[in-house]
Amino acid sequence: MSDYDNAIFRLATETEPEPEDYTGEDGLLYCGNCRQPKEAYFTEGKSLFGRDRHPKECDCQRKRREKQEAADRERKHRDTVEELKRRGFSNTAMRQWTFENDNGKCPQMDKALFYAANWEEMKAENIGYLLWGKVGTGKSYFAGCIAKNTHRWGRKIRNQTKPIISFY
């Protein structure tokens, strides 16, 4: 067998005991913390590579794995949101466009906040906003605040060359 095959064999058939682990009366390895088996027997008459048992996840290992998986999902979500922000807000100053940073000059920002807070309902009912006005009145900022808020849920935005932002 090659080194690779030996490594796969060990992973598939061995359970590394911790110092507090012990062997039970049934011959299986048990966790010293949660007292759950870390091994299980194959069904009678079955074996793998000449072994009659296989690794099994104890409660402690399951909790550690689930915690790690949750942390990985959270990290992946944060990375996705950051990537969406980077692509959706090409100008770095646009990344500061948030409801929290609003200076109060746009009297319609409460409408944007309502829209963002009720995003799922707005999307389901196909409700959108058409923004118009003179230069410098806050149209882009208004749309940017809504877009930034939708990033929190991992939504993608498409910033078109016209002064329109589409959500999908």
Side-chain angles (χ1 to χ4, degrees):
M1 274 191 191
S2 71
D3 288 341
Y4 178 77
D5 293 335
N6 284 329
I8 296 297
F9 173 75
R10 279 194 313 278
L11 286 172
T13 60
E14 291 182 12
T15 301
E16 279 297 315
E18 301 290 331
E20 62 274 3
D21 293 348
Y22 62 95
T23 302
E25 292 179 13
D26 57 3
L28 296 175
L29 181 67
Y30 281 78
C31 176
N33 292 324
C34 67
R35 308 285 187 225
Q36 296 295 313
K38 287 183 149 184
E39 296 179 314
Y41 286 109
F42 288 112
T43 55
E44 194 159 331
K46 304 286 183 184
S47 67
L48 179 66
F49 302 114
R51 291 189 41 100
D52 63 347
R53 64 193 78 178
H54 60 86
K56 181 180 180 229
E57 197 174 53
C58 71
D59 290 345
C60 299
Q61 291 170 323
R62 181 183 45 75
K63 287 177 185 171
R64 278 194 303 267
R65 178 184 52 78
E66 288 172 350
K67 185 177 179 180
Q68 181 62 46
E69 287 173 351
D72 290 345
R73 281 191 305 275
E74 176 63 27
R75 181 191 45 76
K76 185 178 179 183
H77 175 74
R78 280 194 316 272
D79 291 348
T80 299
V81 168
E82 286 306 312
E83 177 63 17
L84 291 170
K85 287 178 187 177
R86 189 186 63 72
R87 281 193 274 148
F89 298 106
S90 53
N91 181 338
T92 54
M94 296 168 99
R95 294 183 189 166
Q96 303 307 314
W97 291 357
T98 64
F99 293 116
E100 295 82 19
N101 292 337
D102 181 34
N103 63 11
K105 289 184 179 178
C106 179
Q108 287 80 26
M109 283 307 279
D110 61 325
K111 308 276 191 288
L113 188 56
F114 176 82
Y115 190 86
N118 297 285
W119 167 249
E120 292 299 328
E121 181 183 336
M122 297 293 181
K123 183 179 177 190
E125 299 202 16
N126 202 23
I127 297 172
Y129 285 169
L130 174 62
L131 308 175
W132 74 92
K134 295 180 182 177
V135 173
T137 57
K139 298 178 299 295
S140 296
Y141 187 82
F142 183 99
C145 288
I146 294 171
K148 182 97 179 231
N149 199 291
T150 62
H151 280 256
R152 292 180 184 164
W153 300 296
R155 302 281 187 236
K156 296 178 183 178
I157 63 164
R158 182 177 60 224
N159 200 352
Q160 299 179 353
T161 56
K162 299 175 186 175
I164 296 174
I165 297 180
S166 298
F167 299 91
Y168 56 98

